[in-house]
Amino acid sequence: MPPDRGKNTGESEVIKIAVLVSGGGSNLQSIIDSCRSGKIDGKVELVISSKEGVYALSRAAGSGIESCVIDREGYDSDEAFSEEILRLAKEKKIDIICLAGFLKKLGKNIVKEYGGRILNIHPALLPSFGGRGMYGIRVHRKVLEAGEKESGCTVHIVEEEYDTGEIVLQRKVPVESGDTPEELARRVLKEEHRAYPEAINIIAKKLKK
Ligand code: GAR
């Protein structure tokens, strides 16, 4: 457990959230909006992007949230990369780390220190259609190729491997006949925007106990 755990989890204190992104950041936006509207009893304190120039960074700036870019290429290992994320998270006394379209692998060090408090959202019903290389539109293509009748999204606790870890919440959507991957992606994304705030609340409540 991080040394700061508990300092920021008293009844009166809001849960401090860091969101890790690599792209458009629509899930980041839904988390920010849910914090602002009171749907999440928390506050996004930090946005970390693995890429320069992504729209998620503009969203953070637009909401007055501190952000930075940490490029995996500048580090020798997943652990060294994660050490920098961990350092910032500890500095800001972050309670929950949310991966929202974050496409880099985290090291054992951060997974261990933030045990049970790193969440990821995946655009399919895990354990199906997950694992290395399964992200974004590729996932929806595979779901359609497999002839599935339903899909959805999963919020889960992050472990060392891709897309494993305890499932916190899933939301389902139907696959319509003639769906393109893009159409299915849009339907799933709408549910993601509801699922992530709900899942954060579930974990936040556990932390406050
Ligand atoms: C989301 O659909 C998320 O589930 C997916 O990337 C998209 C990011 O969108 N993540 C993965 O595929 C991870 N395996 P956003 O940047 O608009 O939130």
Side-chain angles (χ1 to χ4, degrees), residues 23-28 100-103 120-123 134-136 139-140 163 189 192-193:
S26 68
N27 277 292
L28 164 66
F102 183 72
L103 300 178
N120 180 45
I121 189 151
H122 185 76
M134 287 294 265
Y135 58 86
V139 177
H140 305 295
D163 302 328
L189 192 61
E192 291 185 41
H193 297 159

Side-chain angles (χ1 to χ4, degrees), residues 5-6 8-18 31 34-35 38-44 94-98 114-119 155 157 166 168-169 195-209:
R5 189 186 167 180
N8 187 43
T9 51
E11 276 304 316
S12 60
E13 298 219 47
V14 294
I15 294 288
K16 293 186 175 189
I17 300 166
I31 295 168
S34 297
C35 288
K39 270 190 213 156
I40 297 176
D41 187 15
K43 187 163 183 265
V44 180
I94 296 298
D95 296 303
I96 299 178
I97 298 175
C98 295
Y114 264 83
R117 299 186 296 132
I118 309 179
L119 300 179
V155 182
I157 306 277
E166 187 190 323
V168 181
L169 192 140
Y196 221 157
E198 276 179 41
I200 292 170
N201 271 336
I202 291 172
I203 299 301
K205 267 193 198 127
K206 282 191 187 166
L207 287 183
K208 286 195 167 196
K209 271 184 192 163

